[in-house]
Amino acid sequence: MVMKSEDGRELRSFRFKDEDESQEVRAVERRMLLETLASQLPRNTISFSSKIRTIERSKNDETVLKLEDDSQISAKIVIACDGTRSPVAKWMGFPDPSYVGHCAIRGIGIYPDGQPVEPKVSYVYGRGVRAGYLPISSTKVYWFVCFNSPSPGPKITDPSILRQETNKLVQNWSSDLLDIIKSTPDEMFIRTPLVDRWLWPGISPPASIGNVVLVGDAWHPMTPNLGQGGCCALEDSVVLAKKLEQALKSRTISVEDAFRSYGSVRWPRIFPLTIRANLVGALLQMDDPLVCSLRNNVILPKLVQLGPMLEHTNFEFEPL
Ligand SMILES: Cc1cc2nc3c(=O)[nH]c(=O)nc-3n(C[C@H](O)[C@H](O)[C@H](O)COP(=O)(O)OP(=O)(O)OC[C@H]3O[C@@H](n4cnc5c(N)ncnc54)[C@H](O)[C@@H]3O)c2cc1C
């Protein structure tokens, strides 16, 4: 892992082998992850393009999901993993996630003849703007640029505007980063306003109501500053599957009990992570010249340690 200033000066580098052998970074392209998970299911289990519009409880205690195409599904149990704008979370009484004051533009540089980047995670710190990149295969390099913006702004999908905005943000930064952005096809630029939702005990609704439960960003949207949102969604799934297995094997544990227990097991993991990710983001996005100088000349080169910095990625669970 390498940390650099915007002019390309190396501030600090770590080798996992030397610092903490239990840690490693694995870059997984979202599409590959989804295809791998989907490939484990029997054929035709997934119904694509089934967008939920509303949700309601029927008289026989089933949950009715009404879809955008006017069809509906009556479900005995609902495991809602429908992202930050989840209509199911809304129905359960969760407020919309809050915008945290910075946005990210990200993409994947494509190099059909082989990508030139070393197998390292590189972070580049500027004033109110930071970037990162790492190879995800022999021909692809993932990158992001995170920047302050007082409002989320309008939804921009025009790739030429996104490319222009990105280039403006990292103008004159290191040539590695600029080359990766240049090698990114238009359709791979995505701009996301970053949001989170703090699940205050006693104030936030629980993760489940009856036989409806939330998983992943639908329940606990967090900013990507610790790189944990997707990982936590996977952890949720493992814990929930275990709880459901116990309910199915037992005469005394109901599905509702399993969902409630999942909520209590997962809350102590995800609530502190949500707060920590938010605070780390606020710190890293500071644009005050004095703070940035302190960060680049003292905190990153002298104080940061790899083990404690990545300790939050450790997660122990019972095998399924
Ligand atoms: C810039 C950025 C960088 C990130 N980096 C990392 C990282 O390094 N590591 C990490 O672990 N996480 C990272 N994350 C977070 C990660 O992307 C999310 O936490 C993760 O995708 C959450 O998974 P999910 O399945 O809960 O939700 P999503 O991935 O959002 O999936 C939700 C699904 O629900 C569907 N859906 C939405 N609305 C409806 C509806 N009405 N009806 C039916 N279906 C619907 C969507 O189409 C989608 O398929 C990052 C996020 C951002 C923005």
Side-chain angles (χ1 to χ4, degrees), residues 242-281:
K242 190 77 194 169
K243 295 287 174 196
L244 276 173
E245 182 194 20
Q246 286 161 354
L248 293 176
K249 284 184 179 161
S250 141
R251 294 217 176 119
T252 51
I253 306 172
S254 67
V255 168
E256 282 191 33
D257 295 334
F259 284 177
R260 258 194 303 272
S261 169
Y262 148 83
S264 6
V265 170
R266 291 300 293 154
W267 182 86
R269 167 93 175 131
I270 46 111
F271 183 52
L273 272 180
T274 308
I275 297 180
R276 186 165 160 188
N278 182 299
L279 298 180
V280 166

Side-chain angles (χ1 to χ4, degrees), residues 235 238-239 241-243 245-246 265 315-320:
E235 292 175 13
V238 173
V239 173
K242 190 77 194 169
K243 295 287 174 196
E245 182 194 20
Q246 286 161 354
V265 170
F315 168 68
E316 296 289 333
F317 62 93
E318 285 176 71
L320 288 172

Side-chain angles (χ1 to χ4, degrees), residues 97-269:
S98 311
Y99 174 60
V100 298
H102 36 274
C103 297
I105 302 180
R106 56 197 151 138
I108 297 178
I110 307 282
Y111 297 85
D113 299 326
Q115 53 84 4
V117 178
E118 283 184 272
K120 286 182 183 170
V121 191
S122 299
Y123 291 108
V124 191
Y125 297 98
R127 280 181 50 197
V129 183
R130 74 200 142 101
Y133 53 93
L134 79 160
I136 50 177
S137 76
S138 56
T139 55
K140 293 179 182 173
V141 183
Y142 167 77
W143 60 268
F144 70 86
V145 175
C146 197
F147 57 99
N148 293 343
S149 170
S151 77
K155 189 174 165 66
I156 305 172
T157 45
D158 181 339
S160 64
I161 298 179
L162 291 179
R163 190 185 287 279
Q164 224 174 20
E165 190 177 3
T166 313
N167 285 333
K168 206 166 143 198
L169 287 163
V170 294
Q171 214 176 12
N172 304 326
W173 284 30
S174 76
S175 55
D176 300 7
L177 176 66
L178 300 182
D179 183 63
I180 301 163
I181 294 170
K182 203 167 156 193
S183 308
T184 302
D186 280 354
E187 68 277 10
M188 292 229 166
F189 280 77
I190 312 172
R191 183 186 193 277
T192 316
L194 302 183
V195 298
D196 68 8
R197 183 165 56 221
W198 293 22
L199 298 171
W200 293 109
I203 297 176
S204 293
S208 64
I209 293 181
N211 285 354
V212 179
V213 69
L214 298 177
V215 169
D217 278 9
W219 181 29
H220 48 71
M222 63 178 80
T223 56
N225 301 303
L226 301 176
Q228 287 299 293
C231 298
C232 278
L234 291 171
E235 292 175 13
D236 285 352
S237 317
V238 173
V239 173
L240 185 62
K242 190 77 194 169
K243 295 287 174 196
L244 276 173
E245 182 194 20
Q246 286 161 354
L248 293 176
K249 284 184 179 161
S250 141
R251 294 217 176 119
T252 51
I253 306 172
S254 67
V255 168
E256 282 191 33
D257 295 334
F259 284 177
R260 258 194 303 272
S261 169
Y262 148 83
S264 6
V265 170
R266 291 300 293 154
W267 182 86
R269 167 93 175 131

Side-chain angles (χ1 to χ4, degrees), residues 20-68:
D20 184 348
E21 270 197 281
S22 69
Q23 295 286 356
E24 63 176 306
V25 172
R26 285 199 195 176
V28 183
E29 192 180 348
R30 182 188 171 89
R31 188 176 57 83
M32 294 293 286
L33 176 65
L34 294 180
E35 283 175 8
T36 307
L37 292 172
S39 71
Q40 300 302 304
L41 295 171
R43 277 173 76 83
N44 301 327
T45 319
I46 304 176
S47 164
F48 290 99
S49 304
S50 307
K51 194 161 185 192
I52 302 167
R53 193 170 47 208
T54 56
I55 171 167
E56 56 194 52
R57 182 79 72 204
S58 75
K59 284 194 195 101
N60 59 0
D61 224 21
E62 290 199 342
T63 307
V64 180
L65 305 169
K66 296 195 170 167
L67 307 186
E68 297 258 297

